[in-house]
Amino acid sequence: MKVEFSAFPKAFSGNVAVFVAADKQLLATAQAADEKAGGALTRALAAGRFTGAKGQTLTVLGNTGDIDRLLLLGVGKGRELDARAAEGLGGVIAAEANAAGHKAVTVVVDPVKGSRLTPGQIAARIALGVRLRNYRFDKYKTKDKPEQKLSLEKLTVVVNGPADARKAYAQLEPTIDAVFFTRDLVSEPANLLYPVEFARRAKELTKLGVKVEVLGEAEMKKLGMHVLLGVGQGSERESQLLVMRWMNGPKNQAPVALIGKGVTFDTGGISLKPAGGMEDMKWDMGGAGAVTGAMRLIAGRKAKANVIAVCALVENMPDGNAQRPGDVVKSMSGQTVEVINTDAEGRLILCDAMWYAQEKFKPQAMVELSTLTGAIIVSLGHERAGLFSNNTPLSNKLRAAGSQIGEKLWRMPLGPKYDKMIDSDIADMKNVSNGRDGGSITAAQFLQRFVQEGVAWAHLDIAGVAWSSKGDSTTPKGATAYGVRLLDKLIADNYER
């Protein structure tokens, strides 16, 4: 998709979107269009429920000169128009354009009184929102009709000071690349994206300066990662440990570690899942996808920070060699685990990945993302990810980052009584507690047992937000890439020098 920023022309043509503020306040370009059309816009506003509230739209046809279709775009109250809101407006424009079958759209950015953003910043964020919304994973579609495909090919953003807008947009382009990279990973079917293939695609990041290392099963066995390896032993696909390093900060600064769960397909193993909906388990690697995308974004914008990422990549399958309920396995940390349920596999692969990251890189903080439990969806639905942490400052940093870019978090409890629920009679711990009570919490307690003393740690359970059945203003239905921008914002605001 082509994006251009231009100064105000003498006249507008084609498909044009203009701003209307709250309480039906026509901004400059909309006012001019209304005068030229003999008050047609004012009459259209009076005839319906459109008020100019944020995200509202109203299409006006005819009596607008060379303009084929005029889209009145509600920007709401000026003080509400922040970066996230501007991106949302872009998403609305993309959705409207594709629904109408438009190939090209012009959006006019007039100054919005009360907004802290300059017109150039608003223009750049709108363009970002259009790009993020204008995504569709259709590489395997062969018979789509034209009306089923995305039509929007060109966006022109008209703004005073287009050079400033271009500069601001250029700084945002790595975000688009990273989000699309993660959406593609998470959307791929499991027969085409398995641990080795995931690792191969991650090696593309070397072009951006990321150092990528991949450990195979033999290397992990030498390291004592028997808990991780146990999950993948029923699959013909070899498990992998993907290690990525971006060390562009001060030499004496300890890195931040990002850990990702990468179960490229999860049948549940011997504790087999029901057939209905099992196809969704191709995105059980959403945590690893987000972490890898975040590394792409951090490197893409040349962040002045030290960040390492470790992703555990496995396929959880049932066969004659699969791990059994009741098996006891030893972790890299030396702690032993009684496997009660082979479908609680995410915590098993993460514990070894977390321990490896701490032993190898001595991070100052560690943030782990995983589509870990269905229980978090029961608790929080699909609006927020669950946040578990042993460190309130880190928790607050994550929540602040998430609120700014629209990836919301809700802090959940941890405590000794929850921890006791995973004590085992024959091993150091079991991977699930008895019953379903507090399922997302006991999963987090399991992971916390593998956090070394002095390490600030956070676990984000993204099971409810990694995939969307509806989408939102900047995310179409499907893979959301939740976590990519959140992690990048965390690094940008707190760990760059």
Side-chain angles (χ1 to χ4, degrees):
M1 180 179 170
K2 188 176 182 181
V3 176
E4 292 182 351
F5 297 91
S6 72
F8 279 75
K10 292 182 179 180
F12 291 99
S13 61
N15 304 301
V16 181
V18 295
F19 286 178
V20 180
D23 300 322
K24 302 182 180 182
Q25 297 178 44
L26 299 176
L27 298 193
T29 304
Q31 284 182 355
D34 189 42
E35 292 173 5
K36 189 172 184 179
L41 274 62
T42 299
R43 292 192 295 274
L45 292 178
R49 295 179 176 178
F50 179 90
T51 65
K54 183 174 62 178
Q56 277 189 328
T57 60
L58 177 65
T59 300
V60 178
L61 301 174
N63 297 320
T64 52
D66 294 329
I67 297 175
D68 299 325
R69 197 179 188 105
L70 186 67
L71 179 70
L72 303 184
L73 181 63
V75 299
K77 298 178 180 179
R79 64 177 180 272
E80 298 173 343
L81 187 56
D82 57 12
R84 175 61 182 163
E87 292 170 18
L89 295 178
V92 170
I93 292 168
E96 291 279 344
N98 284 305
H102 296 156
K103 289 186 176 181
V105 169
T106 298
V107 57
V108 185
V109 177
D110 288 313
V112 179
K113 187 177 180 180
S115 175
R116 295 183 179 181
L117 301 180
T118 66
Q121 291 170 331
I122 294 173
R125 291 288 173 172
I126 284 177
L128 174 62
V130 170
R131 289 291 311 278
L132 291 177
R133 185 66 175 82
N134 203 58
Y135 171 90
R136 184 170 182 249
F137 187 79
D138 58 4
K139 63 189 290 187
Y140 302 117
K141 292 274 193 177
T142 62
K143 296 184 178 181
D144 272 3
K145 297 176 181 179
E147 61 269 22
Q148 294 175 302
K149 299 178 180 180
L150 295 177
S151 61
L152 187 58
E153 297 175 354
K154 181 180 179 181
L155 173 71
T156 301
V157 187
V158 175
V159 61
N160 280 325
D164 292 339
R166 289 188 201 101
K167 183 178 179 181
Y169 179 70
Q171 294 173 345
L172 297 173
E173 284 189 293
T175 298
I176 300 165
D177 294 337
V179 168
F180 284 9
F181 180 76
T182 294
R183 287 181 185 173
D184 285 349
L185 283 174
V186 178
S187 299
E188 284 283 5
N191 63 317
L192 298 173
L193 187 79
Y194 40 90
V196 170
E197 175 61 15
F198 188 115
R200 186 194 69 78
R201 295 193 190 190
K203 289 178 181 177
E204 295 176 17
L205 274 61
T206 58
K207 298 174 183 177
L208 297 173
V210 178
K211 293 183 179 179
V212 180
E213 180 183 7
V214 180
L215 278 62
E217 291 185 352
E219 294 164 291
M220 286 188 278
K221 187 175 181 180
K222 288 180 181 178
L223 290 168
M225 296 184 176
H226 303 294
V227 177
L228 187 160
L229 292 170
V231 175
Q233 71 186 42
S235 173
E236 293 185 358
R237 308 285 196 184
E238 182 173 343
S239 299
Q240 307 275 275
L241 191 74
L242 171 63
V243 184
M244 297 168 281
R245 287 181 285 174
W246 174 258
M247 304 295 284
N248 197 39
K251 290 183 178 180
N252 61 348
Q253 183 188 68
V256 176
L258 308 179
I259 313 295
K261 172 189 171 184
V263 181
T264 58
F265 195 78
D266 181 22
T267 66
I270 296 299
S271 304
L272 192 66
K273 292 178 180 290
M278 194 192 290
E279 68 278 3
D280 289 344
M281 289 299 96
K282 70 177 186 177
W283 51 261
D284 206 19
M285 37 60 69
V291 165
T292 306
M295 291 297 287
R296 179 172 181 138
L297 177 50
I298 289 164
R301 63 179 184 79
K302 305 298 181 185
K304 300 295 185 181
N306 296 327
V307 187
I308 65 100
V310 179
C311 296
L313 307 175
V314 305
E315 188 178 57
N316 188 19
M317 299 290 283
D319 83 340
N321 191 47
Q323 186 165 253
R324 295 159 291 268
D327 283 1
V328 174
V329 284
K330 189 175 183 179
S331 69
M332 183 182 175
S333 72
Q335 299 176 88
T336 56
V337 179
E338 181 186 10
V339 179
I340 302 298
N341 187 331
T342 64
D343 193 25
E345 83 300 328
R347 66 203 71 177
L348 297 176
I349 66 172
L350 288 168
C351 70
D352 277 339
M354 287 167 53
W355 197 263
Y356 176 86
Q358 292 169 99
E359 287 288 289
K360 178 85 172 177
F361 299 106
K362 308 299 181 186
Q364 59 175 303
M366 180 168 60
V367 182
E368 173 269 314
L369 276 75
S370 54
T371 51
L372 202 64
T373 67
I376 201 65
I377 304 175
V378 176
S379 299
L380 301 176
H382 299 278
E383 298 300 315
R384 289 171 169 81
L387 163 62
F388 301 82
S389 182
N390 67 353
N391 186 278
T392 295
L394 176 59
S395 176
N396 290 340
K397 290 172 185 176
L398 282 161
R399 292 174 66 189
S403 67
Q404 290 182 64
I405 49 86
E407 296 184 354
K408 299 176 183 177
L409 296 164
W410 190 264
R411 191 170 183 183
M412 301 287 286
L414 293 166
K417 290 187 177 180
Y418 293 116
D419 191 68
K420 187 173 178 59
M421 293 168 68
I422 58 170
D423 284 343
S424 167
D425 291 336
I426 66 169
D428 294 326
M429 71 196 83
K430 53 189 178 183
N431 72 328
V432 295
S433 63
N434 296 328
R436 302 175 64 185
D437 296 353
S440 62
I441 302 173
T442 53
Q445 293 288 170
F446 180 95
L447 293 174
Q448 190 176 27
R449 292 195 180 195
F450 297 88
V451 178
Q452 296 180 4
E453 186 175 354
V455 177
W457 159 79
H459 154 56
L460 309 187
D461 192 334
I462 63 171
V465 292
W467 189 271
S468 175
S469 60
K470 297 179 181 179
D472 64 18
S473 59
T474 57
T475 306
K477 176 182 176 181
T480 65
Y482 181 103
V484 172
R485 299 182 67 187
L486 169 63
L487 293 174
D488 176 68
K489 186 67 173 171
L490 172 73
I491 298 299
D493 287 353
N494 302 285
Y495 298 101
E496 287 199 47
R497 296 291 186 272

